[in-house]
Each structure stands twice: as structure tokens, then as C-alpha cells.
Amino acid sequence: MFSKKITTWGTGALLGLGLAMGSVGVQAQTGNCEYLVTNDWNSGLTGAIRISNTGDSAIDGWSVSWEYDNNQVTNAWNTQLSGSNPYTASDMGWNGTIQPGQSVEFGFQVNKNGGEAEAPEVTGDVCAGGTSSSAPASSSSSVATSSEASSAVSSSLASSSVPSGGEQCDWYGTLYPLCQTTESGWGWESNESCVARSTCESQPAPYGVVNGGSSASSSVSSSVSSSQSSVQSSASSESSAQSSASSSSAPSDDLTFESLRNLAEFPVGVAVPAGNETNSILDDDPTGEGQREIITQHFGQITAGNIMKMSYLHNQRGNFTFGNADALVDWALSNNIGVHGHALVWHSEYQVPDWMNNFQGTEEEWVEALREHVIGVASHFAGRVDSWDVVNEAFVDEGYRTDSIFYENMGERYIEEAFIAANEADPDADLYYNDFSMENGQPKFDNAMAMARDFVERDIPIDGIGFQFHVFVDWPSTSAMREVFSEVVDLGLKVKITELDIPVNNPYSDNYSYPDNYISEYTDEAAQAQKERYCSIVEAYLDEVPPELRGGVTVWGVFDSDSWLIEQTFDNNHDEWPLLFNDNFEPKPPAQGVGDALMGLPCQ
Ligand code: 9MR
């Protein structure tokens, strides 16, 4: 087995801020401004400017400027950028207010134009005095890994409501009140989450019940909490204007907990659109803001639903286009959210770049081309991505999928070559084989497991099996799921639910016949069945997979009407409600269902 970095989960675990530090902010009357290099490679870098309020009153709106000798900004996020050297960046409204002691950050990508990474001075009223200097990292290898970066941010979200004296629960690095009446799991008392004493005490050392906040507790970036609250207000006031919303009538539910991610020690993730995709989470509009609010509050990991696939990143041989993916990854890391990479190799025709589809070569030349892609991508994101779906959907029920350009040209060998290359490029990332319809066990699951066993025996670097879990309320049985989980566990591999969604309709069931017979409204009954189903899947996962093998649970999409299922499974015939949040960005009953399972409560 391969040694990996250790990452803990939950809000208290600061996941990969990814700051190649060396910055020196200059203390000023109201704030200081820091220029940070977050990733640095041959031709470019991604950077961030952090504005911290060191004064006594709130900063209300900000604008900063900087100038390079040779470097050039190619795109920016979480800010409105104007000018072209000097550049001026101002707030986007939702991140304009910075409370005392808090900070905001925005990011950008830079073309180095053949030169070095520069360390420009950042000026602006908010930098009070206008002097600031920084020293960029000298190479990408100095980018902090997620766990190393945790010391870079301070000021606690969770502990802010925790009294400084008396007993508290240090929950994997975050302080929570101990519940007064709740006897086990998580509770909701006095308008905040609390941890029952018995549950708190069950954590491994050095966590558990602590006195007076004396435990060394890591904490949450204050910039998350400040942007969260301002996003919340702007999203709730504007969300009804969202054009993509197909229905806002879905029942919402007040959650009994504050945050899904805080309930788990493993990543609770979500797939997101970004880059040029419709409903990009980085868009400066209510849909982007509403999603960012949900994600920062509830999820500890994201997967790019599309923009890290082959054709998006490597459309011409040797010419990688990382801008959109870098922006997404940097946004995630600067909000203490990890990233699961999807997917290094997927045969699906429209995911394979033309240069590869048209490639003519010997088997060895194909392997070389495949390695070039895998190494190019995985090394670029090394240190910033927790894990990868290395190969996606390589099997059919009968065995290897032969209608794959990779299989045609390299045979089954391409799979191990991809894993070997990914491990060379990023030895710390967890490497998964990912597929759908394995949740039901045989026969496809058997094919994948035969390969995994062979890999383990031959020391091919595989860390886990990714089960997509595009399932239904009535298929497959949870007992089948439990069996496949435990088979993977028996092999010593991690289990990750990578693409969970559960529509209320099952188009393959005898009960479904559009337009005559289908569920056309998100009724309380449908929501309840869906809630119990989400809960029982997570419950099965927790029961069967021991903590050290839990790769996480990711939901495939943020809000209902953005689900791929509506177009690709239901042919746009009708609405569907497969996810945890509705189109007004409110939690639905299944979000409570997932939380119930994570808190060890019965699924009901
Ligand atoms: O959700 C994705 C959708 O937006 C794309 O159109 C589609 C094709 O690229 O891929 C969807 O995601 C798939 C994932 O990449 C692999 N497993 C199945 C997912 C749903 O089709």
C-alpha cells in the first residue's frame, strides 16, 4: 500500500489553502493587503490577494491595485478586475464587507511571459498607507499541501459561539458546545449545534472533551464566515429571480444541524459546474452566489462535474488549458474545501480530445500519449487535489469495455498505465477506479474487483473504488450496497461514493411511463421516501466502511434543476428533484436524511 498525506475533515480541518507563503503584509490603520502565490509552474502562476481588517470597525467595500514589470493577469475570480497593468480589483458586493479580525481573498491567474513570478506591491485605501510587499514561492514544489497549510488561517467560526470557559468538545480540531440534553450524536440546542458527551468522547486522542478551550484547536477561515453570511442575504433576496429554476415549490426543511461537512470526518462533497458552464459556481450572479453559500456551509470537497475532463484540459497535444480548473481549485482551497479530481481517463467519445481520437500509433506510442496526458494533468494539480478518478467506466457487464479508444489501442493495459502515471505525478493523491452500476454487485462489480485484486497483488498503485451511485429510491437494495462496500473493504481499499443522486422517478421501473404515469410534483411523500433513501445509503456506508477507508460521499450536483439527469435520463420531459437543495438554494428533506445518518440517528 502507498503512503499518503493525512488529512482530517470537518470545518476544523483547514483543507489546502494551498498558499505558497512568503508574503509580508504591512500592518496599517484599517487593514493589510498581502500578495500570495498559490501555485507556480513554468509559464504561469495562480495568486491571491488577501485583505485583512486589522482595525476596530468594519471595512465596507474595497479596491486594491498592483502592477507588474513583466507578468500579466489572464483571469481573475471573486473580484471585479479592471485595467491592464496596473490592475485594479474591487469587491463584488457579497465580499465587500470585512469585519474586524476577518479577511477576504480573491484569486487570479498570471502568465509569467517567460519571466519569474513577481512580487508586486499592493496599494489601496484599504491597505491604509498603501505599502505591501510579498515574496512569491520560488517553485510549485513549495506549494503547501493541504494539511501544511492549515496553520495559515486563524480565527474560528465554530468556536466563536463557544464560551471560553467550561467543558467543550474538540471535534477533530473545532470546538463545539457539549449538549445539555442530547444523549448521543449531534444535537441542536440553544440555536446551535452541539455534540453529545458520549459522541465527543468517542473521538480518538487528542480530540474529545476539553476544558475551557485549552485544547489546541484549529479553526475556520474567517473569510469563509464573513462571505457566507453576506452571500446568504444576497442569495435569499434574489434567488427567486433565478432563470434556471424549474420549480421552487419543493418542500424545504429546517435542518437540525449547521453543516453537513462538520458531521463527518471524511469528505462530504458535491459536484459543481464551473468555467464556461451554465450555472458556474464562480459566476457573479444569484445562482453562483446561492451555490457558493451552500457549498461553503455544507461541503468539504468539490468535484468538477465536467471541467477537469480530458477535452477541457488537454485539447491539443502538449497544450494544457488549466485556467478554468485552476480558478475553481483555488476558489475551493481558499474556502477550506478539498478537491476530488474527475477524471484523468474516460473513453466516452466526447470527453476524448480530437488529437487523441485521431491519434495513429503503435501500442507504445499510445501509452506514451496517455502518460503525457495523465502526468501533465496530475502533476499540475499535485498538492492541491486530494484524489483522482484515474479511470472512469472501463467495464461493461461482460468484462472490459471494448468500445473504448484506449482499449482498442492498448488493451486492458491502459488502465494500469494510467494508475502508474498518476502515482508518479502525484504520489500523495488517492487514486480511484470509478464506475456506475457497481452498487448492485454482479456482474460489473466483479470485473472491477478482479482488476483491483490483480492491481493489489502486483503492486499497481490503486487506493480505492469509486461507486458513482446514480441510484433510485427503489434500486438497488441497500443489502447489495453493503455487500459491495464490504468486499472492497476486505481488499483493504478505500470506498468513495463519487456521484450520488436519487431522482424521485425511476424511468426503468414498471411504474413509470411518461406521460401517463410518473411523479410530476415534489410531494411530501416523494421527499420523505427520498430522505430515507439518502439516509440509508449513508448509514450503510458508515456501517460497512471503517473510518480509515472512507474516501467520502459526494452528491452529483448542487441544486435540483441543474442535475444532469433531467436532460440525460429523463429527456427533459419533466422536472426532477434528485439532489439535496432546491432551486431556491434551500435544504430539502434528503439533506436532513444525510445529516441524520451522519449523526447516527435512525433513518425516518
Ligand atoms: O454531469 C455531467 C454532465 O454535465 C455531462 O454532460 C456528462 C457528459 O460529460 O457527464 C456528466 O457526468 C458524468 C460523469 O462525468 C461520469 N459519470 C456519469 C456522470 C453522469 O452522466
Side-chain angles (χ1 to χ4, degrees):
M1 202 47 65
F2 306 86
S3 89
K4 301 287 175 186
K5 66 176 179 249
I6 298 167
T7 315
T8 52
W9 294 92
T11 313
L14 289 169
L15 300 176
L17 195 61
L19 301 176
M21 300 301 286
S23 66
V24 182
V26 171
Q27 189 75 21
Q29 195 187 344
T30 55
N32 71 13
C33 303
E34 299 166 272
Y35 183 95
L36 309 163
V37 175
T38 53
N39 192 24
D40 186 358
W41 60 97
N42 278 350
S43 57
L45 61 87
T46 50
I49 288 176
R50 180 192 295 163
I51 305 165
S52 304
N53 185 346
T54 54
D56 297 331
S57 54
I59 291 171
D60 190 15
W62 46 263
S63 175
V64 296
S65 300
W66 71 103
E67 185 171 7
Y68 299 110
D69 292 334
N70 194 31
N71 289 182
Q72 183 187 13
V73 174
T74 52
N75 62 324
W77 50 97
N78 294 345
T79 187
Q80 298 182 63
L81 190 74
S82 59
S84 55
N85 211 30
Y87 299 94
T88 298
S90 46
D91 70 80
M92 302 190 70
W94 58 265
N95 60 357
T97 303
I98 314 175
Q99 298 297 341
Q102 300 195 333
S103 60
V104 296
E105 254 178 58
F106 62 88
F108 44 87
Q109 187 171 355
V110 167
N111 181 341
K112 293 201 278 194
N113 285 324
E116 293 296 308
E118 295 174 29
E121 179 186 30
V122 182
T123 59
D125 288 349
V126 74
C127 311
T131 52
S132 173
S133 63
S134 68
S138 54
S139 79
S140 58
S141 62
S142 64
V143 172
T145 63
S146 44
S147 47
E148 286 164 345
S150 62
S151 60
V153 180
S154 61
S155 168
S156 165
L157 173 68
S159 63
S160 62
S161 58
V162 176
S164 56
E167 286 184 326
Q168 299 163 33
C169 179
D170 183 346
W171 183 258
Y172 294 96
T174 304
L175 293 178
Y176 286 92
L178 283 169
C179 298
Q180 301 299 312
T181 53
T182 308
E183 288 179 357
S184 71
W186 285 72
W188 182 257
E189 297 177 7
S190 309
N191 280 328
E192 60 185 347
S193 294
C194 58
V195 186
R197 177 176 290 275
S198 61
T199 301
C200 184
E201 285 172 347
S202 67
Q203 293 174 93
Y207 308 114
V209 176
V210 296
N211 219 321
S214 57
S215 128
S217 170
S218 56
S219 54
V220 187
S221 163
S222 56
S223 62
V224 175
S225 59
S226 66
S227 64
Q228 252 175 237
S229 54
S230 52
V231 169
Q232 201 156 14
S233 53
S234 95
S236 55
S237 62
E238 295 181 78
S239 55
S240 57
Q242 186 204 160
S243 58
S244 61
S246 62
S247 164
S248 57
S249 60
S252 64
D253 201 18
D254 288 333
L255 299 176
T256 62
F257 52 86
E258 184 184 330
S259 157
L260 281 170
R261 67 177 283 177
N262 286 359
L263 301 178
E265 307 138 48
F266 53 82
V268 178
V270 65
V272 299
N276 300 325
E277 290 188 280
T278 307
N279 297 330
S280 163
I281 64 159
L282 299 184
D283 279 352
D284 177 25
D285 64 12
T287 306
E289 289 168 8
Q291 291 183 97
R292 288 196 295 274
E293 180 201 345
I294 289 171
I295 296 164
T296 52
Q297 183 172 350
H298 286 288
F299 295 101
Q301 190 179 65
I302 56 161
T303 305
N306 284 306
I307 70 161
M308 288 168 78
K309 291 172 179 171
M310 301 182 86
S311 56
Y312 288 80
L313 297 183
H314 194 185
N315 214 15
Q316 287 177 340
R317 187 167 187 179
N319 183 10
F320 293 90
T321 43
F322 290 123
N324 287 333
D326 275 335
L328 178 66
V329 170
D330 283 353
W331 176 83
L333 298 183
S334 65
N335 283 287
N336 308 321
I337 294 168
V339 178
H340 173 68
H342 173 83
L344 291 171
V345 179
W346 188 17
H347 72 282
S348 180
E349 199 182 330
Y350 49 105
Q351 308 304 335
V352 180
D354 283 350
W355 70 266
M356 218 171 219
N357 264 327
N358 299 327
F359 186 68
Q360 304 286 327
T362 62
E363 184 179 317
E364 291 311 317
E365 286 165 339
W366 266 95
V367 170
E368 200 39 52
L370 182 88
R371 282 176 55 81
E372 205 175 298
H373 171 75
V374 171
I375 290 175
V377 173
S379 62
H380 177 74
F381 292 105
R384 296 192 291 157
V385 165
D386 303 314
S387 47
W388 277 104
D389 291 328
V390 178
V391 175
N392 193 38
E393 302 176 9
F395 289 98
V396 288
D397 285 352
E398 294 75 29
Y400 286 95
R401 181 188 286 279
T402 52
D403 61 340
S404 145
I405 193 157
F406 305 116
Y407 187 86
E408 281 167 18
N409 288 287
M410 291 171 270
E412 61 190 65
R413 173 187 173 192
Y414 84 90
I415 304 178
E416 66 191 72
E417 293 291 355
F419 276 85
I420 291 167
N423 185 56
E424 279 171 32
D426 187 356
D428 283 339
D430 281 340
L431 305 181
Y432 286 89
Y433 173 73
N434 191 49
D435 215 327
F436 63 94
S437 292
M438 297 194 299
E439 304 80 39
N440 198 32
Q442 302 170 353
K444 196 189 215 181
F445 174 68
D446 288 349
N447 299 327
M449 283 305 284
M451 178 196 73
R453 270 190 205 97
D454 173 49
F455 279 15
V456 169
E457 274 165 26
R458 290 191 296 122
D459 222 13
I460 304 293
I462 185 171
D463 294 285
I465 299 293
F467 292 89
Q468 292 187 6
F469 263 80
H470 297 295
V471 296
F472 299 98
V473 170
D474 57 356
W475 180 94
S477 67
T478 43
S479 58
M481 296 172 188
R482 286 173 183 268
E483 276 174 37
V484 294
F485 289 158
S486 65
E487 214 175 300
V488 176
V489 167
D490 287 347
L491 188 58
L493 292 183
K494 292 192 174 181
V495 178
K496 188 170 178 72
I497 296 181
T498 53
E499 305 183 14
L500 177 59
D501 49 25
I502 313 175
V504 302
N505 283 285
N506 176 352
Y508 310 109
S509 87
D510 293 343
N511 298 333
Y512 179 92
S513 112
Y514 178 82
D516 304 322
N517 192 23
Y518 71 103
I519 300 172
S520 60
E521 280 178 34
Y522 193 53
T523 57
D524 287 349
E525 189 187 355
Q528 178 61 25
Q530 192 188 37
K531 174 188 175 191
E532 286 174 32
R533 181 64 160 164
Y534 263 104
C535 181
S536 62
I537 289 172
V538 176
E539 181 184 63
Y541 181 76
L542 292 169
D543 285 350
E544 304 301 332
V545 184
E548 68 277 11
L549 294 180
R550 291 177 191 156
V553 176
T554 287
V555 181
W556 202 246
V558 183
F559 63 98
D560 279 337
S561 70
D562 196 42
S563 167
W564 72 287
L565 289 162
I566 293 174
E567 181 189 339
Q568 294 177 37
T569 298
F570 294 100
D571 298 328
N572 279 327
N573 280 334
H574 54 77
D575 289 341
E576 247 301 337
W577 305 270
L579 300 172
L580 302 186
F581 294 86
N582 69 21
D583 294 350
N584 285 332
F585 310 117
E586 296 160 337
K588 294 165 44 191
Q592 181 66 44
V594 172
D596 285 348
L598 292 174
M599 293 186 286
L601 300 173
C603 295
Q604 56 192 15

